Amino acid sequence: MSGTRTGDQGPPVDTDPRRWWGLVVIALAQLMVVLDATIVNIALPSAQRDLGMSDGNRQWVITAYTLAFGGLLLLGGRIADLVGRKRTFVIGLVGFAAASALGGAATGAGMLFGARALQGAFAAVLAPSALSLLTTTFTDPKERGKAFGIYGALAGSGAAIGFIVGGLLTEYLGWRWCLYVNVPIAIAAVLGALALLHDRPGHAGARLDVPGVLLGCGGLVAIVYGFSEAESRGWTDPMVLSLFAAGVVLLAVFVWWQSRAPMPLLPLHIIRDRNRAGCFLTMALAVIGMFGLFLFMTYYLQAVLAYSPVKTGLAFLPLTAAIIIGSTQISARLLQRVPPRMLMVPGMVLAAGGMVILTQMTTHSSYATEILPALLSLGLGMGLTFMPVFATATAGVAPQDSGVTSATVNTSQQVGGSIGTALLNTIATTSTATYVTAHLTDPSDRTRVVREGVVHGYTVAIWWAAGIMLLAGLIAGLMVTTKAPKHGTPADTPVPEPVA
């Protein structure tokens, strides 16, 4: 049975005891979406051999997913607001499972690329509806802290969990199971959603902002595609520059149109709010550093330290545990008592400190004494940061805007990840080439010099990642000025739209 209680401020607060089981369903779906961005990474060499992919084309297994996901998130968020979050959530789960099954059964590279793009499209529907269901289910500040602690832990650790699961599945069952595994997870989540989740009806009379969809999604796709192509083509390639220019122009026109559209895709008051904008920027910059690190550490552990896929996945386990502890045991307990930036700023400093430790790694680094302390520091820092970012960015949003606000948080995370992978990988490969050219004097010594050059490239890129994370901490400190929830605006009180 559902129940409600009415507080002194704001609308009734849900007291249905099953809402915590609903959180499990939401968290399961979010975990599936986040880990699918990385679960295929470790399986990629096997899939490439099986399907005859070229080295130039293999990146599309990753890019097709991130491109569709990052580019279509705003559309997915607005659809959730218009037709109802629970309905959109279930549609997203069913579509994601079907696309995963199609990818697992792929008989050629093109079929796999298409299935990954479909996964990304349904993830763009699923992720914002999941976060907005969480936002509208947990409105009491104390419960909200716990719920967002769990959600933030999964958002931060999902990529690392993807490496662990991907390693185990690839080594023992084959690469196709990295896709098939989503089917039973999605079925369980659909059954749980139908039984446990509640939602307000959608806004049937509202219309979708079609010009906004074309401009906003087109601009994001162009920018994400530009960063993905920069890895292989270089930053000065005409196609890359054209994509960036087109993306910027489309997004500029999108912002102009949103200020005039009768039913905008992204109401501008959402991003005009100083605290919310600070959270979006902090999330994007933090993920730029973290996703770049995942890429380097995967190759470093396997190619330099000769770890197996399973051992590589397990090496990320302490990072995952640290994120969960930082998010659920520290941030969730402290957010009611301290302003969000008092968690976000130390979190980013701690994460940057972990990055600095990793800049000292060599071709013979010890995992226990050099890699592990860095992963623990990074994980705790990310856990401290992600939970208050999610909670603050979605607090005080009118119910009809919760889906698109959730989508904007996810967009900053997804676009940040795409940018981080491309930007830091380009820095690493350029630094490696420069090092090898300068140090290769004896052709017989080429293997050693190349290995040292690769590690040197990683450390240079990780220095950049540390700097980006410090910038994220600075932005959080300057822009996120809201008070602790119990002293500020109640989480369930909508922020009023400014009068034109």
Side-chain angles (χ1 to χ4, degrees):
M1 286 276 299
S2 287
T4 60
R5 63 178 171 80
T6 305
D8 295 331
Q9 303 178 60
V13 177
D14 189 5
T15 58
D16 181 359
R18 296 185 304 169
R19 67 193 180 284
W20 291 104
W21 285 108
L23 172 62
V24 173
V25 173
I26 294 168
L28 192 64
Q30 176 65 15
L31 178 63
M32 182 177 69
V33 167
V34 175
L35 68 79
D36 233 73
T38 56
I39 193 171
V40 179
N41 280 31
I42 291 177
L44 193 50
S46 302
Q48 184 179 359
R49 284 194 301 272
D50 269 11
L51 301 180
M53 284 181 255
S54 69
D55 287 351
N57 283 338
R58 67 183 177 187
Q59 60 139 341
W60 280 102
V61 175
I62 310 299
T63 306
Y65 181 81
T66 58
L67 193 60
F69 191 8
L72 298 175
L73 267 165
L74 281 178
L75 173 59
R78 188 44 98 192
I79 289 173
D81 288 333
L82 296 180
V83 306
R85 298 164 197 85
K86 179 176 174 178
R87 185 184 301 173
T88 309
F89 183 76
V90 171
I91 291 169
L93 283 168
V94 171
F96 197 89
S100 299
L102 182 67
T107 55
M111 186 174 171
L112 181 58
F113 299 157
R116 289 288 283 168
L118 268 179
Q119 274 188 308
F122 281 108
V125 171
L126 180 58
S129 58
L131 183 53
S132 57
L133 277 168
L134 186 69
T135 302
T136 53
T137 300
F138 295 94
T139 52
D140 179 80
K142 186 174 181 180
E143 289 189 346
R144 188 180 175 86
K146 291 178 183 176
F148 275 90
I150 294 167
Y151 188 89
L154 288 171
S157 63
I161 294 171
F163 287 119
I164 299 167
V165 176
L168 289 167
L169 292 173
T170 301
E171 194 152 320
Y172 295 114
L173 292 176
W175 68 267
R176 294 180 186 275
W177 279 94
C178 291
L179 294 158
Y180 286 143
V181 72
N182 293 320
V183 177
I185 295 174
I187 290 171
V190 166
L191 295 175
L194 294 174
L196 298 167
L197 295 180
H198 307 289
D199 187 27
R200 298 179 178 89
H203 299 269
R207 294 194 309 274
L208 197 61
D209 174 19
V210 176
V213 169
L214 296 175
L215 292 166
C217 296
L220 286 172
V221 166
I223 287 175
V224 174
Y225 186 26
F227 273 103
S228 68
E229 287 295 295
E231 282 189 79
S232 55
R233 294 173 177 269
W235 294 100
T236 57
D237 182 82
M239 180 179 174
V240 172
L241 293 175
S242 298
L243 285 166
F244 285 148
V248 169
V249 170
L250 285 170
L251 290 178
V253 177
F254 169 75
V255 171
W256 171 83
W257 170 250
Q258 294 307 282
S259 67
R260 289 159 177 77
M263 294 181 181
L265 180 67
L266 175 61
L268 293 184
H269 66 269
I270 289 173
I271 54 176
R272 283 198 191 109
D273 180 81
R274 175 176 178 155
N275 293 296
R276 201 166 288 122
C279 286
F280 295 152
L281 283 172
T282 301
M283 171 63 83
L285 291 169
V287 173
I288 284 176
M290 188 175 75
F291 268 59
L293 177 77
F294 285 153
L295 180 73
F296 301 142
M297 291 309 296
T298 303
Y299 280 103
Y300 174 75
L301 293 170
Q302 290 193 72
V304 178
L305 299 187
Y307 281 22
S308 69
V310 170
K311 191 175 180 182
T312 300
L314 292 175
F316 282 103
L317 195 56
L319 171 69
T320 305
I323 291 174
I324 292 171
I325 291 168
S327 190
T328 62
Q329 300 305 308
I330 302 175
S331 277
R333 293 173 186 271
L334 292 179
L335 186 60
Q336 297 172 68
R337 299 177 176 86
V338 301
R341 64 177 172 180
M342 294 300 291
L343 296 169
M344 294 159 68
V345 174
M348 283 293 90
V349 171
L350 199 57
M355 291 290 197
V356 171
I357 295 172
L358 283 176
T359 62
Q360 309 306 307
M361 67 187 186
T362 67
T363 55
H364 303 290
S365 288
S366 162
Y367 177 82
T369 59
E370 296 172 71
I371 308 299
L372 180 59
L375 294 181
L376 291 173
S377 179
L378 176 68
L380 281 173
M382 285 296 184
L384 283 173
T385 304
F386 277 136
M387 183 266 166
V389 164
F390 281 120
T392 306
T394 56
V397 179
Q400 67 269 20
D401 289 333
S402 67
V404 74
T405 305
S406 304
T408 310
V409 182
N410 278 284
T411 299
S412 63
Q413 184 179 5
Q414 196 61 35
V415 173
S418 300
I419 291 171
T421 303
L423 173 65
L424 297 179
N425 191 55
T426 303
I427 292 170
T429 52
T430 304
S431 301
T432 295
T434 304
Y435 182 94
V436 171
T437 302
H439 291 81
L440 187 58
T441 54
D442 182 359
S444 65
D445 204 24
R446 180 176 179 80
T447 301
R448 180 187 64 82
V449 172
V450 169
R451 280 168 60 87
E452 290 177 352
V454 167
V455 175
H456 170 75
Y458 293 164
T459 58
V460 170
I462 290 170
W463 273 115
W464 278 84
I468 291 169
M469 286 184 164
L470 287 176
L471 178 60
L474 179 64
I475 286 174
L478 293 176
M479 293 185 67
V480 185
T481 56
T482 187
K483 297 177 181 178
K486 71 174 183 179
H487 300 301
T489 305
D492 52 358
T493 304
V495 172
E497 295 188 30
V499 179

